[in-house]
Amino acid sequence: MGTWQLVRAGFRQQSQYRLAMVAGLATNCVFGFIRASVLLAALDASTGAFAGYTRESLAAYVWISQALLGAVLLMVPTTAVGERIKTGDIAVDFLRPVSLLAGHLWMALGRGLFTLLPRGVPAVVVGTLTVGWFLPGGVAPYLLGAVSVVLAVAGSYLGAHCVALAGFWLVETRGLNALYGIVATFLAGLFVPVDLFPGWLRGLAALTPFPTFLQYPVDVLSGRVVGLDAWSHLATQAGWLLGMLLLAQLLATLGRRHLEVQGG
Amino acid sequence: MSVVEVDRLVRDFTVREPVPGRRLRRRARQVRAVDGLTFTVGPGEAVGYIGANGAGKSTTIKMLAGILVPTSGTVRTCGTDPVRARRRLARRIGVVFGQRSQLWWDLPLAESYDILAAIHRLEPARARRRRAELVEELELGGFLATPVRQLSLGQRMRAEVAAALLHEPELVVLDEPTIGLDVLSKQRLREFLVHERGSRGTTLLLTTHDMGDVERLCERVLVVDHGRLAYDGSLSGLAATVAAERVLVVDLAEPVAPLQVPGTRHLGSEGDGVRQHLAFDPTRTTAAAVLAQVQRAAEVRDLSVAEPDIEDVVRRLWSRSR
Ligand SMILES: Nc1ncnc2c1ncn2[C@@H]1O[C@H](COP(=O)(O)OP(=O)(O)O)[C@@H](O)[C@H]1O
Ligand SMILES: [Mg+2]
């Protein structure tokens, strides 16, 4: 099947950037320390229920989300598509016998999955060394977690892809990108777990796909959400994924009708 | 049945320009890039599509490939509507845009072919055979493992052509494939295309700035000017219509009045007549004969002979039809 070869090609593509990975790793770990110490201090000072989080589950939350960053596209949602619309190279994408999305999604998935190795493994190791073992026992969290992570990687790519397609209509998309990056990162639960949001903000987050990019896979993978609730998480992720797939196709169709390829 | 059928094709672009004196205001203006083109290309034909910069060649090609939607008029490529059947058409045509790449620049070249084979869902054995053939004929073997970004322009362009031909398209469209190439790379590419057409009967549509490409590769020429068709016929017919003049430019020791040399036209002088431009018809006289006559009137310090370029041919064609 052609699809699998595209995922593999994306995987290999990302493996070309080992040096950048190492550089990103240090930032990732430092950021993890800061997040962990802030949240644990808040937990210690708290008199409330703290959404059921314990020291272990909070540490798991921090370090697993840290492990997914990069694979999941959040803070800097730059995509090749956006760049190609700007330069006019998008013309070449339209010469291919696949939809614009398919031409990019599978390789993006491969790139995301590769990123899990150099980002994910060290984050789990560093986390374990500093706060102790936090990964769940049993097989189910890992199996369901793997599906959840793939859905999150694909979903977060789709979100960024849709934002990039706005470039068909806007000359300048940097502002939109930056806004999306901040909102998505926050509502995905990177700074504060979504369950610690005040009620109204949690309601708002639930109206967006963002929690399914980070909070959900962390919940499933850490074993904080199990059984039927875990399956419900996966279903919600799949639902958002489908919605964004349709949106991406629609934007591509409308965009091509509107397209004015820049440059010769 | 025609491979390409274009009927009264029009494409406008909206250009937004700043309004002088008003910093934030922009004015939208319509530019007509393609202006009522009509032509057909039959199976197996090799057509040179030429015209000055900005004449509308690339825009036409983008409409043929289903990338751009026409403003009005119709295009049919391989018997289908390219915008509606874009994906199906993409399996049957191969397009190279000389200024753009369809390769993955951060991966070794060979990977681009794997990816393209996967995207086109080529049958593995067939893809392997075709790739081996292209690698041999375009001499890509030496740099299949090199990341695309490290290829020289000549290597990359050959690699691009192979990428466009991997799925064995029946129509090949090349938009300035020889731009910036050295003589040897050009030569290799042309030889390959001649061979490819000879063995497969591929239909070829080629835009270029190089008359040599057209001479070597095309039986028929379409000249487009300001989005309109200015000529459709054989290359020899084009040469006859606009006898390709050459221009002798002479630098003289001192200023003289405009030279009157029989068999030439005085095109202009610079520096009070220190440099003069004389056009002549190479079928009637030679640069040497013209020079000999000039030397009788003045002392020549330096000289050059300019070949007719495509812009020049088009300009002459245009002034003739008025
Ligand atoms: N995206 C665009 N926006 C505005 N004008 C464009 C665009 N693309 C092409 N044009 C204009 O259309 C005309 C034809 O362009 P093009 O087809 O690229 O010419 P050629 O390939 O013959 O050099 C030019 O005047 C060019 O400036
Ligand atoms: Mg062009």
Side-chain angles (χ1 to χ4, degrees):
Chain A
M1 246 278 265
T3 307
W4 177 238
Q5 273 164 310
L6 295 180
V7 175
R8 269 193 0 218
F11 198 86
R12 281 194 299 268
Q13 193 179 27
Q14 195 65 8
S15 72
Q16 311 270 322
Y17 297 97
R18 300 223 174 89
L19 210 62
M21 288 282 167
V22 174
L25 182 63
T27 324
N28 204 29
C29 290
V30 171
F31 195 41
F33 277 126
I34 296 172
R35 289 180 58 213
S37 44
V38 169
L39 282 172
L40 289 174
L43 175 67
D44 291 342
S46 157
T47 49
F50 219 71
Y53 276 106
T54 61
R55 284 190 76 83
E56 287 70 39
S57 61
L58 207 52
Y61 163 78
V62 168
W63 287 106
I64 293 175
S65 60
Q66 216 53 36
L68 296 181
L69 279 187
V72 161
L73 219 53
L74 276 182
M75 252 179 291
V76 190
T78 45
T79 54
V81 192
E83 202 51 41
R84 294 173 77 81
I85 291 174
K86 207 181 300 164
T87 60
D89 283 347
I90 198 77
V92 174
D93 293 355
F94 281 129
L95 289 174
R96 299 189 170 141
V98 289
S99 69
L100 185 61
L101 179 62
H104 285 279
L105 176 65
W106 300 116
M107 285 182 70
L109 196 59
R111 284 195 298 271
L113 293 181
F114 179 86
T115 309
L116 279 179
L117 301 177
R119 282 285 177 90
V121 177
V124 170
V125 171
V126 171
T128 302
L129 290 178
T130 51
V131 295
W133 186 248
F134 55 78
L135 290 177
V139 183
Y142 296 100
L143 289 182
L144 296 182
V147 177
S148 183
V149 167
V150 171
L151 288 172
V153 171
S156 66
Y157 173 76
L158 269 163
H161 182 92
C162 288
V163 173
L165 295 195
F168 281 131
W169 294 272
L170 304 175
V171 179
E172 185 50 73
T173 53
R174 265 179 299 186
L176 186 66
N177 259 313
L179 181 68
Y180 176 90
I182 291 169
V183 172
T185 308
F186 188 77
L187 294 184
L190 182 70
F191 303 125
V192 178
V194 175
D195 288 343
L196 290 178
F197 286 177
W200 64 271
L201 191 57
R202 206 163 49 219
L204 183 71
L207 295 177
T208 71
F210 304 129
T212 68
F213 298 169
L214 197 70
Q215 179 77 50
Y216 279 38
V218 173
D219 281 348
V220 176
L221 199 55
S222 66
R224 182 168 174 268
V225 168
V226 292
L228 214 54
D229 288 343
W231 284 101
S232 144
H233 262 39
L234 295 189
T236 310
Q237 285 185 287
W240 278 112
L241 192 73
L242 195 65
M244 287 186 296
L245 267 168
L246 295 177
L247 179 63
Q249 300 287 26
L250 179 70
L251 289 175
T253 306
L254 296 178
R256 188 156 63 104
R257 222 169 281 164
H258 191 265
L259 179 66
E260 303 208 334
V261 174
Q262 303 297 315
Chain B
M1 201 194 62
S2 306
V3 175
V4 176
E5 263 182 86
V6 168
D7 188 23
R8 282 163 291 172
L9 188 62
V10 173
R11 171 70 205 212
D12 293 339
F13 287 110
T14 312
V15 183
R16 276 170 230 288
E17 307 164 308
V19 179
R22 310 273 297 271
R23 268 207 310 149
L24 293 176
R25 286 280 306 232
R26 288 186 167 267
R27 194 170 25 209
R29 188 168 59 87
Q30 296 288 311
V31 176
R32 183 149 288 191
V34 169
D35 189 4
L37 273 184
T38 301
F39 66 85
T40 60
V41 177
E45 269 196 285
V47 178
Y49 190 43
I50 65 176
N53 256 329
K57 304 180 295 293
S58 298
T59 305
T60 312
I61 288 172
K62 283 170 193 154
M63 288 191 281
L64 292 182
I67 297 166
L68 283 178
V69 181
T71 302
S72 69
T74 56
V75 202
R76 292 189 74 76
T77 309
C78 299
T80 64
D81 171 351
V83 171
R84 288 183 47 204
R86 176 186 73 78
R87 287 166 56 180
R88 231 172 322 126
L89 183 62
R91 293 180 194 283
R92 302 174 61 185
I93 65 174
V95 184
V96 173
F97 291 112
Q99 289 130 323
R100 302 192 186 284
S101 179
Q102 55 192 314
L103 306 167
W104 281 263
W105 67 285
D106 49 0
L107 285 172
L109 176 59
E111 296 251 358
S112 283
Y113 298 133
D114 291 341
I115 296 172
L116 285 168
I119 287 180
H120 279 274
R121 295 191 182 283
L122 301 181
E123 199 248 305
R126 190 176 140 197
R128 250 194 318 275
R129 189 160 11 96
R130 176 63 168 162
R131 188 175 118 176
E133 195 176 290
L134 290 167
V135 165
E136 185 186 330
E137 283 168 18
L138 284 163
E139 297 172 48
L140 309 175
F143 44 89
L144 276 173
T146 310
V148 171
R149 62 165 182 277
Q150 291 173 12
L151 299 182
S152 75
L153 185 60
Q155 291 172 333
R156 211 206 73 205
M157 206 54 86
R158 279 182 280 142
E160 296 281 354
V161 171
L165 295 181
L166 190 66
H167 56 288
E168 303 177 67
E170 54 204 90
L171 168 65
V172 172
V173 183
L174 306 175
D175 191 357
E176 316 232 4
T178 55
I179 200 160
L181 293 193
D182 59 87
V183 182
L184 203 66
S185 300
K186 264 185 199 174
Q187 191 54 31
R188 272 196 207 157
L189 196 55
R190 287 174 190 162
E191 277 165 16
F192 166 77
L193 290 169
V194 168
H195 172 82
E196 174 77 8
R197 251 172 50 69
S199 61
R200 289 177 177 269
T202 317
T203 309
L204 178 69
L205 183 65
L206 171 82
T207 83
T208 180
H209 260 81
D210 189 325
M211 273 308 215
D213 289 345
V214 181
E215 273 163 28
R216 284 294 314 277
L217 295 169
C218 306
E219 296 123 22
R220 179 178 159 206
V221 184
L222 296 172
V223 180
V224 64
D225 186 56
H226 294 94
R228 300 202 192 120
L229 204 59
Y231 176 84
D232 177 355
S234 67
L235 184 61
S236 53
L238 178 64
T241 315
V242 283
E245 275 185 328
R246 300 171 89 188
V247 177
L248 177 70
V249 183
V250 285
D251 286 358
L252 307 173
E254 50 197 32
V256 297
L259 293 162
Q260 299 300 325
V261 180
T264 72
R265 282 188 306 126
H266 181 260
L267 291 180
S269 299
E270 290 165 47
D272 293 329
V274 175
R275 170 174 289 181
Q276 305 209 6
H277 300 251
L278 298 169
F280 63 96
D281 179 349
T283 60
R284 298 238 182 101
T285 181
T286 64
V290 176
L291 181 64
Q293 300 220 47
V294 171
Q295 275 173 322
R296 249 173 257 153
E299 187 188 338
V300 177
R301 283 269 167 84
D302 200 358
L303 67 100
S304 64
V305 182
E307 295 294 331
D309 58 9
I310 285 183
E311 259 85 358
D312 196 37
V313 170
V314 173
R315 194 157 4 96
R316 210 131 0 96
L317 197 61
W318 207 230
S319 60
R320 189 167 283 251
S321 72
R322 288 258 163 84

